[in-house]
Amino acid sequence: MQLYPLFPVLHPILKPTFPTCLWGGDCNSKAIALSFDDGPHPQHTPRLLKVLDHYQITANFFWLGACVNRSPSLAKQVCDRGHWIGLHGYYHHNFPLLSPSELKDSLERTQAAIYDTCELQPEQVRDVRPPNGLFTPQTLNLLQRWNYRSVMWSVVPEDWVRPGVTTVVQRVLQHVNNGSIIVLHDGACGGEDVAEITNILIPQLLQQGFYFVTIDTLWQQSLKR
């Protein structure tokens, strides 16, 4: 079952219901965030980095701790380029299915992997995106109590089911707006196409006047509103 048609409907409902999450940036600004989940991946992420390097774009990566430990030198390359790093859990486990202690351990293990690889202090890596976008009010309360910031999305083209490069690009261009957070994947599911998709998307988005910022920049914008 493809969930893509539901995301544009869910976003305006979930955003005011869970205001402690970051769902997007300033609607009066052309700043948008391009984000990638599930990496780093030894084949897909290097190809993506070449595209980002070519256009000199700063993106955002929500990493799985297990993938960081499998590809530490690649993770260091991403970090050294100045991309913003967030957490996606140690494994791709849905947060509501984990006990509080399991969730805390998952996030702390991922922070430790990033620290060991990139020398980023845990307090520098506290943006969390739940796998599959699944969370409960308790999940958000726990994350807030542990001083993490919950980051969601506004444009989800469901690239992980590989509907085709053209389809993914069209879906993004159809729904992108000022302040959008675009979610793509450079991991095992969907990552095969991510470099090609990104290479097509970036020039078209730039042509429309959008510019790319970090998730941290969108947080700063949200504090000013």
Side-chain angles (χ1 to χ4, degrees):
M1 175 184 177
Q2 292 205 5
L3 300 176
Y4 162 74
L6 296 177
F7 293 121
V9 177
L10 288 173
H11 183 265
I13 298 172
L14 294 173
K15 182 178 178 180
T17 306
F18 300 101
T20 60
C21 302
L22 183 69
W23 295 94
D26 186 351
C27 63
N28 296 309
S29 169
K30 299 291 282 188
I32 60 176
L34 186 59
S35 66
F36 302 93
D37 291 0
D38 297 354
H41 188 281
Q43 281 79 48
H44 309 326
T45 305
R47 292 197 291 266
L48 172 62
L49 284 179
K50 288 182 180 179
V51 175
L52 298 174
D53 287 350
H54 175 74
Y55 291 105
Q56 298 183 309
I57 297 298
T58 300
N60 306 269
F61 289 82
F62 288 84
W63 278 343
L64 297 172
C67 292
V68 174
N69 281 335
R70 280 197 292 266
S71 303
S73 62
L74 178 56
K76 185 76 161 56
Q77 290 178 47
V78 175
C79 187
D80 286 349
R81 283 166 163 79
H83 299 296
W84 190 254
I85 308 302
L87 308 169
H88 206 43
Y90 193 80
Y91 298 113
H92 203 271
H93 292 161
N94 293 330
F95 286 177
L97 299 181
L98 302 177
S99 69
S101 62
E102 288 172 334
L103 176 57
K104 194 168 192 289
D105 179 67
S106 172
L107 296 172
E108 289 179 348
R109 287 177 70 193
T110 306
Q111 284 179 314
I114 294 170
Y115 172 74
D116 290 342
T117 299
C118 305
E119 299 181 0
L120 291 179
Q121 298 292 336
E123 58 267 22
Q124 294 176 276
V125 188
R126 60 191 185 98
D127 286 323
V128 178
R129 176 176 287 149
N132 300 312
L134 296 178
F135 62 89
T136 65
Q138 182 192 27
T139 305
L140 300 183
N141 289 337
L142 289 171
L143 293 176
Q144 194 167 28
R145 185 193 310 168
W146 298 331
N147 199 35
Y148 294 110
R149 304 189 298 189
S150 301
V151 178
M152 300 304 172
W153 35 260
S154 52
V155 181
V156 188
E158 205 176 23
D159 59 320
W160 63 88
V161 300
R162 301 191 71 192
V165 170
T166 300
T167 297
V168 173
V169 169
Q170 289 174 342
R171 288 174 174 179
V172 173
L173 295 177
Q174 180 181 356
H175 294 288
V176 68
N177 288 300
N178 290 358
S180 284
I181 299 175
I182 301 168
V183 179
L184 296 170
H185 295 76
D186 64 326
C189 295
E192 300 93 337
D193 301 325
V194 71
E196 185 177 356
I197 290 167
T198 305
N199 192 44
I200 297 170
L201 272 176
I202 287 176
Q204 295 197 45
L205 292 169
L206 291 172
Q207 190 173 22
Q208 293 182 31
F210 294 108
Y211 61 98
F212 298 89
V213 300
T214 65
I215 292 294
D216 191 55
T217 298
L218 296 189
W219 276 116
Q220 300 309 316
Q221 288 181 353
S222 72
L223 293 175
K224 295 175 183 178
R225 296 202 297 270

